[in-house]
């Protein structure tokens, strides 16, 4: 198994300290300079793409000092053997003198339903060439006109609770070469062929605004078929499409709401090239399933007595099933789902089980997760088991849901929150795991209607999330810091389900503010570009003609009136910009450019002075409240600044001039009202008021060090504890470490008493919380990502790893490590587009041993603090700096700048 598929939680336990084991080394013993890790649309050998000009990326397997790519040649075609030979049977880029490792396909129009093979040849600086292995991508529908199936359902009754089964049979002739299933669903589904579930995805398709864009998924089903009679079956779930539970966001009143429906095309290709398509249509039959209730929001109810064994096999007698009904497609845009799927990524065994009485057991997984529990039980038919999931327990041992039930609005007692109901069929050991739901929990209270014998092996938790590969690693001499990193990643993944959410239990909503605050944390730690590109398409679907975005995305219409504003919905600017910085890919910026313009223009129209009070402000602060006008105006400035940079990048000079001027107008207005130039304080001088202008570049350059010093004094006055909410948490650590106050930032980050991240760890947290006090009466989800910026700061503020906006995608890495007082050792690694970036240091008195790894075909700009009388050595020889005497804020000593080529450097400062 590739380490790219190992859950990050196992890395820490296994002591895998260097992610140089990832990516390029998967190439094994290939020659230096060989292109490896070939991906199309950031996926490995993907199926069912609709992109007309798919993006092709690769890396170089080359650990030599100074390794570069001087030129490349791409070959793409439908004949794998020809591509392997380098023959020009399809399209070739020709030999291109370029170091680029991200290139869009530029050949003839791609045909639908076609598998293309591709290979890249790269030339190094010395002129030697090496060729990659052959990779592939396969196109999907490419056009709405290519669908042949009919949208079908079993009913129009949105109140009908049991999930529907669908089935049909078909003949497969001998000589089958390949088979592909293309399925689009309004709701959720599981697809079966000849009794086997197809694939290992969970909760497909990903949630979108169903009446504006619907996703379809492609599967290679060749191994599932056999000559002769075959059967295809579909089980449909409600998901967000037919929300039967009630809560404050009115999803049960969504304008798209209807009984789930689907459309299926099953293309069978013979060795002769002949194609037969089996489609969903009126020849299908349907019946209600044992899944008697399913809600993405609350839980599932399953009655095993109603099972129909073999319902999805060819031999099943469906004479008692009824005909299906045709339905209109839910939207006019049925497009490919081209992103990492949700999976059961990690199985978590029960850590402890408590028997409260003969019918009640409480299972403890030992950590908080998003996902489902799987129960194994045996008992008489009709025995009812209730599985109540929660994050806390009462003193008497029962599961406590009082911290997560605040927004639930049940109409009766038939749909208990986060409580699965499983009725046994009485057929020996039975296994239950929800199909169309997930929860946030650590504890499961199982209550049975009859006494049952259960043990620790009876229940297993499955950590579910979008299965994004881990690309980051942090390890330090401070165990609390390592726990914070691990818990932050747990919360990030727990809130990644094809879109970023706020929490996996009581909401599952795509809160925009939470998402942009945590986006760098996600990108340093996980390969998440496909998720963000999908979610920003959701933004484009949701934006009003005047530019306004809702506070939660996707939305049924809720959130346009509350919770939005530039401090939250700056996602439309910040996330595309971060993707550009981390991947060097401007496509998402280009796709969202018009949307960002409309958004900024709307704020300008409603706030002509340059100041805006539109927003929520510094959500859930410790104690001090900062003016909403200050924080929202800073985000307005950030949006305008990003828009100006995007305009320049994308070739819109007039827009660049206009929005650069607007950004300066906003900056001047903020400083005119909130900056006291005599005291160098913003507002009343609390942590958020100082850190937000510092972090986002509002503070005049000549005053940055003085404002940062005031912030450090404010933190010291607060006894080196946090006094911030959501927006301040994003800014404070970076505002300090970027401006000569890294020691203060570390002391704040490593704090272990209230209020702090470490306080949560000291109290047993395995995820991040929604509120600083663990005994708060409200806002106390125990699995929130909104305070998760610290996960990114570890890379930026201690490791000093940052992308260079002038050469994004870590083509040039900015390395500015901070050797903070009180921490003997720190290391961070990130697998960027070019390969492994590593920054690691150890302190021995006043001496520092520093190791940097720069990936092949990249460079780095290294800034090191060097004290008076000290020098920097490599292999015992002084290292010559390109610049010295540089100062950034208040530093220990002058910074020396070094320009590094690719390779690993082991340096000593003494």
């Amino acid at each position: 198994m590739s380490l790219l598929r190992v859950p990050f939680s196992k890395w820490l336990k296994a002591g895998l300290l260097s992610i140089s084991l990832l990516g390029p080394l998967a190439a094994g013993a290939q020659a230096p300079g060989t292109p490896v890790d070939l991906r199309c649309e950031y996926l490995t050998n993907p199926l069912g793409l609709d992109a007309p000009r798919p993006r092709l990326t690769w890396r170089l397997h080359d650990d030599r000092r100074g390794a570069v790519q001087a030129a490349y040649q791409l070959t793409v075609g439908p004949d794998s053997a020809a591509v392997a030979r380098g023959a020009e049977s399809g399209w070739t880029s020709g030999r291109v003198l370029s170091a680029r490792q991200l290139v869009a396909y530029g050949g003839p129009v791609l045909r639908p339903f076609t598998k293309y093979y591709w290979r890249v040849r790269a030339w190094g600086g010395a002129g030697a060439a090496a060729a990659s292995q052959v990779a592939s991508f396969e196109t999907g529908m490419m056009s709405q006109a290519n669908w042949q199936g009919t949208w079908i359902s079993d009913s129009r009754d949105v109140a009908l609770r049991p999930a529907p089964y669908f089935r049909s049979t078909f003949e497969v002739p001998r000589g089958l070469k390949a088979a592909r299933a293309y399925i689009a669903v309004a709701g959720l589904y599981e697809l079966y062929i000849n009794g086997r579930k197809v694939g290992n995805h969970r909760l497909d398709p990903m949630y979108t605004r169903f009446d504006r864009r619907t996703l379809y998924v492609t599967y290679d089903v060749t191994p599932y078929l056999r000559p002769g009679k075959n059967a295809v079956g579909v089980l449909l779930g409600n998901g967000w499409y037919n929300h039967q539970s009630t809560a404050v966001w009115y999803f049960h009143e969504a304008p798209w709401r209807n009984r789930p429906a689907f459309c299926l095309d099953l293309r069978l290709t013979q060795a002769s090239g002949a194609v037969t398509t089996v489609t969903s249509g009126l020849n299908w039959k349907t019946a209600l399933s044992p899944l008697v209730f399913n809600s993405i929001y609350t839980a599932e109810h399953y009655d095993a007595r109603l099972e129909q064994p073999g319902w999805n096999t060819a031999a099943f007698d469906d004479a008692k099933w009824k005909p299906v009904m045709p339905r209109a497609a839910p939207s006019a845009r049925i497009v490919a789902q081209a992103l990492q799927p949700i999976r059961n990524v990690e199985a978590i065994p029960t850590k402890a089980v408590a028997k409260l009485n003969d019918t009640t057991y409480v299972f403890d997984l030992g950590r908080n997760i998003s996902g489902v529990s799987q129960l194994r039980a045996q008992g008489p038919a009709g025995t009812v088991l209730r599985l109540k999931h929660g994050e806390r327990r009462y003193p008497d041992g029962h599961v406590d849901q009082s911290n997560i039930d605040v927004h639930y609005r049940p109409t009766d007692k038939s749909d208990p929150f986060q409580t699965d109901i499983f009725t046994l069929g009485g057929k020996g050991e039975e296994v239950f795991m929800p199909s169309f739901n997930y929860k946030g929990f650590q504890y499961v209270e199982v209550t049975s209607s009859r006494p049952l014998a259960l043990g620790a092996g009876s229940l297993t938790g499955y950590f579910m999330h979008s299965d994004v590969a881990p690309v980051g690693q942090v390890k330090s001499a401070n165990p609390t810091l390592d726990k914070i990193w691990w818990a932050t990643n747990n919360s990030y993944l727990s809130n990644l389900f094809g879109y970023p959410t706020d929490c996996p239990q009581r909401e599952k909503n795509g809160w925009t503010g939470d998402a942009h605050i945590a986006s760098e944390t996600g990108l340093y730690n996980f390969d998440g570009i496909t998720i963000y590109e999908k979610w920003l398409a959701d933004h484009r679907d949701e934006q009003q003609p005047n530019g306004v975005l809702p506070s939660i995305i996707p939305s049924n219409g809720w959130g346009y009136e509350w919770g939005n504003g530039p401090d939250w919905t700056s996602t439309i600017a910040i996330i595309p910009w971060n993707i550009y910085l981390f991947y060097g890919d401007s496509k998402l910026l280009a796709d969202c450019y018009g949307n960002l313009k409309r958004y900024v223009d709307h704020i300008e129209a409603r706030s002509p002075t340059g100041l805006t009070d539109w927003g929520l402000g510094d959500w859930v602060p410790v104690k001090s409240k900062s003016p909403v006008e200050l924080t929202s105006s800073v985000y307005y400035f950030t949006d305008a600044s990003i828009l100006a940079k995007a305009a320049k990048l994308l070739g819109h000079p007039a827009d660049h001039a206009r929005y650069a001027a607007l950004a300066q107008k906003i900056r001047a207005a903020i400083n005119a009202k909130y900056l006291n130039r005599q005291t160098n304080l913003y507002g009343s001088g609390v942590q958020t008021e100082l850190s937000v202008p510092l972090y986002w570049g509002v503070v005049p350059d000549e005053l940055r060090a003085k404002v940062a010093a005031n912030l450090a004094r404010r933190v010291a006055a607060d006894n080196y504890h946090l006094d911030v909410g959501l927006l301040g948490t994003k800014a404070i650590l970076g505002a300090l470490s970027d401006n000569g106050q890294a020691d203060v930032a570390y002391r704040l980050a490593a704090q272990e008493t209230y209020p702090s991240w470490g306080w949560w760890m000291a109290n047993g947290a395995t995820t991040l919380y929604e509120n600083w006090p663990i005994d708060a009466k409200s806002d106390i989800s125990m699995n929130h990502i909104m305070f998760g910026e610290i996960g990114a700061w570890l890379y930026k503020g201690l490791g000093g790893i940052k992308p260079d906006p002038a050469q994004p995608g870590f083509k040039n890495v900015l390395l500015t490590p901070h050797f903070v007082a009180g921490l003997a050792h720190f290391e961070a690694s990130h697998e960027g587009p070019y390969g492994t970036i590593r920054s690691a240091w150890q302190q021995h008195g006043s001496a520092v041993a520093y190791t940097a790894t720069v990936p092949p075909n990249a460079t780095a700009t290294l800034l090191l603090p060097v004290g008076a009388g000290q020098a920097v050595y490599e292999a015992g020889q002084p290292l010559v700096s390109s610049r010295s005497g540089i100062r950034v804020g208040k530093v220990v000593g002058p910074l020396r700048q070094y320009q590094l080529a690719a390779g690993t450097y082991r340096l000593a400062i003494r």
Side-chain angles (χ1 to χ4, degrees):
M1 173 182 285
S2 167
L3 285 176
L4 282 172
R5 297 265 52 88
V6 176
F8 85 93
S9 56
K10 294 184 179 178
W11 291 22
L12 201 58
K13 298 174 185 176
L16 300 175
L17 305 185
S18 173
I19 58 171
S20 62
L21 295 173
L22 298 177
L25 284 193
Q30 292 186 354
T34 301
V36 296
D37 197 16
L38 275 62
R39 300 190 188 185
C40 177
E41 290 294 293
Y42 299 96
L43 299 167
T44 302
N45 298 331
L47 298 178
L49 294 181
D50 282 348
R53 298 183 67 240
R55 293 161 291 176
L56 307 174
T57 62
W58 63 93
R59 301 176 185 177
L60 296 183
H61 170 57
D62 200 335
D63 58 4
R64 296 173 297 181
R65 180 72 63 91
V68 298
Q69 174 187 287
Y72 70 85
Q73 181 176 13
L74 284 169
T75 304
V76 183
D79 184 335
S80 60
V83 170
R85 295 193 307 269
E88 298 181 10
S89 62
W91 170 75
T92 179
S93 64
R95 188 170 185 266
V96 180
L97 297 175
S98 171
R100 286 184 60 83
Q101 292 174 211
L102 163 62
V103 179
Y105 170 79
V109 174
L110 297 174
R111 302 190 302 271
F113 313 122
T114 304
K115 189 166 190 174
Y116 290 90
Y117 300 89
W118 66 288
R119 189 186 75 155
V120 59
R121 194 178 185 200
W123 285 264
S132 72
Q133 297 295 313
V134 174
S136 68
F137 64 88
E138 188 170 302
T139 55
M141 291 287 171
M142 301 292 286
S143 168
Q144 300 285 105
N146 289 320
W147 282 95
Q148 297 185 37
T150 298
W151 280 86
I152 59 174
S153 185
D154 68 326
S155 171
R156 291 189 179 88
D157 184 359
V158 297
L160 181 60
R161 286 195 161 195
Y165 279 151
F166 300 84
R167 61 171 273 118
S168 183
T169 58
F170 57 96
E171 293 291 327
V172 174
R174 294 192 177 278
L176 179 70
K177 178 182 178 182
R180 300 290 186 266
Y182 306 88
I183 182 168
V185 176
L188 299 172
Y189 72 91
E190 288 182 348
L191 173 65
Y192 296 85
I193 292 180
N194 294 327
R196 295 170 56 196
K197 182 178 181 292
V198 176
N200 62 0
H201 297 190
R202 302 298 309 276
L203 303 180
D204 269 342
M206 299 298 105
Y207 175 30
T208 58
R209 175 72 189 249
F210 293 102
D211 54 353
R212 295 177 183 168
R213 184 168 52 99
T214 309
L215 303 182
Y216 75 88
V217 183
T218 302
Y219 300 94
D220 178 357
V221 295
T222 313
Y224 295 82
L225 298 175
R226 56 178 180 255
K229 189 176 183 181
N230 290 253
V232 56
V234 175
L235 172 66
L236 289 187
N238 289 320
W240 295 98
Y241 184 67
N242 183 32
H243 210 274
Q244 294 180 320
S245 301
T246 48
V248 300
W249 304 280
Y250 304 105
F251 280 100
H252 61 289
E253 298 178 5
W256 60 69
R257 185 179 174 190
N258 208 331
R259 180 74 167 166
F262 75 98
C263 182
L264 172 73
D265 280 5
L266 178 58
R267 284 177 53 93
L268 310 177
T269 303
Q270 302 302 118
S272 65
V275 175
T276 302
T277 304
V278 177
T279 67
S280 52
L282 299 185
N283 60 317
W284 285 55
K285 301 188 77 173
T286 184
L288 298 179
S289 76
L291 183 51
V292 293
F293 175 75
N294 70 97
S295 168
I296 188 71
Y297 182 58
T298 57
E300 288 191 10
H301 308 167
Y302 187 91
D303 190 341
R305 297 172 300 179
L306 303 177
E307 289 179 345
Q308 300 186 52
W311 70 272
N312 45 21
T313 64
F316 182 77
D317 182 2
D318 59 13
K320 295 182 180 180
W321 287 33
K322 69 175 187 178
V324 299
M325 63 183 304
R327 278 262 298 278
S331 73
R333 296 176 59 214
I334 314 296
V335 298
Q337 178 171 297
L339 69 158
Q340 302 292 353
I342 298 165
R343 291 189 176 100
N344 285 355
V345 177
E346 185 179 0
I348 302 176
T350 293
K351 183 178 181 181
V353 60
K355 182 178 180 180
L356 303 187
N357 55 53
D358 286 347
T359 58
T360 306
Y361 297 80
V362 175
F363 296 83
D364 178 4
L365 299 182
R367 55 184 283 207
N368 200 346
I369 66 167
S370 62
V372 293
S373 59
Q374 182 188 72
L375 181 70
R376 297 178 178 272
Q378 183 171 340
T383 303
V384 178
L385 297 97
R386 298 167 69 90
L387 289 74
K388 181 179 181 181
H389 298 71
E391 299 178 308
R392 306 194 305 195
R393 285 186 293 187
Y394 289 112
D396 64 4
H398 288 279
V399 167
D400 172 10
Q401 290 184 345
S402 62
N403 68 314
I404 57 172
D405 62 6
V406 61
H407 299 305
Y408 183 38
R409 299 291 185 270
T411 57
D412 55 45
K413 295 182 179 180
S414 67
D415 180 17
F417 189 55
Q418 288 216 145
T419 303
D420 294 322
I421 300 176
F422 177 36
T423 303
L424 296 179
K427 302 169 186 175
E429 185 180 69
E430 301 175 61
V431 181
F432 167 74
M433 183 175 70
S435 295
F436 303 125
N437 167 266
Y438 74 97
K439 307 168 186 72
F441 66 102
Q442 176 173 337
Y443 305 100
V444 184
E445 180 175 331
V446 179
T447 304
S448 59
S449 60
R450 295 183 178 93
L452 290 181
L454 300 176
S458 301
L459 187 136
T460 301
Y462 284 92
F463 192 7
M464 286 171 60
H465 52 77
S466 291
D467 194 9
V468 290
V471 295
Q473 176 86 24
V474 164
K475 189 170 179 60
S476 76
N478 184 340
T480 297
L481 209 65
D482 292 357
K483 288 178 182 178
I484 292 171
W485 172 76
W486 185 73
T488 301
N489 284 356
N490 277 325
S491 280
Y492 180 81
L493 292 175
S494 293
N495 287 287
L496 201 67
F497 279 78
Y499 65 108
T501 69
D502 60 331
C503 55
Q505 6 70 7
R506 68 157 198 253
E507 293 196 37
K508 302 179 174 72
N509 279 322
W511 279 97
T512 48
D514 303 49
H516 73 68
I517 292 293
S519 60
E520 284 183 279
T521 288
L523 292 172
Y524 273 110
N525 286 291
F526 301 99
D527 181 17
I529 184 172
T530 63
I531 312 298
Y532 285 120
E533 288 191 332
K534 177 267 178 190
W535 194 50
L536 268 293
D538 296 332
H539 279 61
R540 299 193 294 272
D541 287 344
E542 296 284 9
Q543 189 174 36
Q544 298 278 18
N546 66 357
V548 173
L549 290 160
S551 51
I552 61 171
I553 296 174
S555 172
N556 67 327
W558 189 94
Y560 290 99
E561 76 291 354
W562 188 86
N564 53 352
D567 52 356
W568 248 245
T569 43
S570 285
T571 43
I572 193 66
I574 291 172
I575 289 180
W577 183 249
N578 282 341
I579 291 294
Y580 172 68
L581 292 179
F582 275 76
Y583 288 86
D585 191 333
S586 61
K587 182 178 186 299
L588 188 57
L589 267 177
D591 289 345
C592 296
Y593 182 74
N595 306 85
L596 178 53
K597 275 185 66 174
R598 288 198 298 276
Y599 187 65
V600 170
D601 288 349
H602 177 78
I603 305 173
E604 184 183 24
R606 65 178 286 166
S607 308
T609 66
L611 297 177
T612 181
D613 60 1
W614 182 28
L616 281 179
D618 198 25
W619 192 250
V620 195
V622 174
K623 60 179 187 291
S624 300
K625 294 184 178 180
S626 302
V628 173
E629 185 182 68
L630 171 61
T631 53
S632 284
S633 297
V634 169
Y635 275 94
Y636 176 28
F637 162 77
T638 301
D639 295 341
S641 299
I642 290 173
L643 178 54
K645 290 183 285 191
K648 183 176 183 180
L649 175 71
L650 299 173
H652 307 294
D655 281 356
H656 168 66
R658 164 166 154 61
Y659 292 108
L662 175 61
Q664 291 312 307
K665 173 184 174 181
I666 300 165
R667 189 186 194 207
I670 294 169
N671 288 326
K673 181 168 183 178
Y674 288 99
L675 172 61
N676 184 325
R677 291 179 178 267
Q678 282 68 51
T679 62
N680 299 306
L681 294 173
Y682 280 79
S684 60
V686 298
Q687 291 182 21
T688 293
E689 290 176 310
L690 295 172
S691 61
V692 169
L694 261 175
Y695 182 83
W696 292 108
V698 170
V699 178
D701 292 347
E702 68 276 13
L703 298 181
R704 290 184 65 85
K706 294 179 180 179
V707 174
N710 276 334
L711 175 58
R713 283 189 283 270
R714 178 70 259 174
V715 171
D718 291 324
N719 198 24
Y720 296 94
H721 285 79
L722 293 164
D723 181 24
V724 292
L726 176 80
L727 306 180
T729 309
K730 173 66 182 178
I732 189 166
L733 296 177
L736 289 165
S737 60
D738 288 348
N739 294 283
Q741 302 291 342
D743 285 353
V744 176
Y746 171 68
R747 191 168 174 182
L748 191 63
Q751 185 60 255
E752 295 180 2
T753 55
Y754 172 82
S756 66
W757 294 278
W759 169 243
W760 294 337
M761 303 304 111
N763 282 273
T766 59
T767 47
L768 303 187
Y769 295 170
E770 184 189 11
N771 210 331
W772 300 111
I774 58 178
D775 58 351
K777 301 303 180 186
S778 64
D779 300 313
I780 192 55
S781 153
M782 298 172 73
N783 198 347
H784 251 65
I785 190 55
M786 71 181 195
F787 291 135
E789 162 65 11
I790 189 170
W793 178 79
L794 294 171
Y795 293 87
K796 297 183 291 182
L798 295 180
I801 299 173
K802 294 182 179 180
D804 183 350
Q807 298 184 66
F810 296 100
K811 175 63 175 167
N812 184 62
V813 184
L814 301 181
L815 290 175
T816 312
H818 292 113
F819 313 135
V820 294
L823 187 63
H825 165 72
F826 180 83
E827 57 183 293
S829 298
H830 172 70
E831 191 77 8
Y834 294 90
T836 301
I837 303 159
R838 185 167 181 259
S839 178
W841 48 262
Q842 288 184 313
Q843 300 192 81
H844 307 279
S846 61
V848 177
Y850 177 68
T851 301
T853 297
V854 181
N857 202 32
T859 57
T861 301
L862 172 64
L863 289 175
L864 289 176
V866 182
Q870 288 188 318
V872 180
Y873 300 88
E874 183 184 23
Q877 299 299 313
L879 193 66
V880 178
S881 63
S882 56
R883 294 176 64 194
S884 61
I886 306 165
R887 290 183 178 272
V888 177
K890 180 184 177 184
V891 295
V892 174
L895 291 171
R896 295 189 186 177
Q897 178 174 298
Y898 303 87
Q899 197 63 31
L900 306 180
T904 295
Y905 299 79
R906 294 176 176 86
L907 310 178
I909 304 172
R910 61 179 188 268

